[in-house]
Amino acid sequence: MSEIPAAKSALRAQMIETPSWGYGNSGTRFKVFAQQGVPRDPFEKLADAAQVHAATGVAPTVSLHIPWDRVADYAELRAHAEALGVRIGMINSNTFQDDDYRIGSVCHPDLKVRRKAIDHLLECVDIMDSTGSNALKLWFADGTNYPGQDDIAARQDRLAEALAEVYARLGDEQRLVLEYKLFEPAFYTTDVPDWGTSYAHCLKLGPKAKVVVDTGHHAPGTNIEFIVAFLLREGKLGAFDLNSRFYADDDLMAGAADPFQLFRILHEVAKNGGLDPAAGVAFMLDQCHNIEAKIPAAIRSVMNVQEATAKALLVDLSALRAAQTAGDVLGANAVLMDAYNTDVRPLLAEVREEMGLNPDPLAAYRGTGYAEKIIAERVGGTQAGWGA
């Protein structure tokens, strides 16, 4: 197939970011489940992330979450990451776990609370400076639960003012990416509920502001690939939070619930230049591994994204365009389905071997004995998890 050499090149260059919180304890709304060997601090989280990169070769960056990953010396944390062969990726803010934010953070009716939230966001930019991160990811739990609780338009004004102040603080090579979420924890109105709201704010801010598409943050039946194609066309797709959902924001492993949807999304990405590093699209996992082992789950998720990407890269675009131009509905669909139904595991095994890696990343990790090592060594102290 003529697509294979180009596909191999793109797969070797692909980068998938893993989240620090994916290595800590997590659970449902009712229970956080502890596991043996879980990291106790950001330094141990980075060590675990380095194992994922060592096994896959395509996970060189790690997102941090502040204050969960707050340390006394961020330059030291950066050096630690680089010594392990990884780098600090996005800095994620947290304006949803403080009592002051019960009815909002940057959209709160009280100026003092808004000031506290904005100061935290500015702190996150300071952390970007120290760690070498080039992106600040913003997600706000802000919204209302009842009609009349607050002024909907005024809350948008407050949001715009906060974003403008943070945007002005960014360096030349830094950017912010604004995430949206349909609902939860706010149930009547959410201040950034959809891609259109995020896009409108980012458009007003300028070229250093772009939209985050979380694959679990949509109403059932939403055509996520349309959103992706639109944002790529407008140069406003900044990042993905890749995960799976069956019902709402389930944060399951990417590609687990609907691998065909992940393929369709990555087809639009590949076809429209989103895999080109110049496009600046970050591919990040945003998952909570509640019942499965953390590091193998992250490896499996990376592999799932790789498989969907490989299938997307094998789409015969010439044949697809010819069928589309001719109005051949079934023919065009068949081109996509042929690529989706291709077993790309042998291709990915070849790519890994060409990169000097074990063709089976999970087997490679199991062979290191790292899981047994951290269970034996990480005894005592407080395990990292939601809120720590």
Side-chain angles (χ1 to χ4, degrees), residues 173-194:
E173 302 302 319
Q174 294 175 335
R175 61 182 184 146
L176 68 81
V177 290
L178 180 58
E179 186 176 353
Y180 56 89
K181 189 173 184 180
L182 183 67
F183 76 101
E184 192 192 43
F187 293 103
Y188 174 61
T189 63
T190 300
D191 291 313
V192 189
D194 52 40

Side-chain angles (χ1 to χ4, degrees), residues 58 100 167 174 185 218 225 233 259 264 339:
V58 296
D100 284 342
Y167 187 87
Q174 294 175 335
H218 302 88
E225 52 268 37
R233 181 177 181 271
R264 299 194 311 264

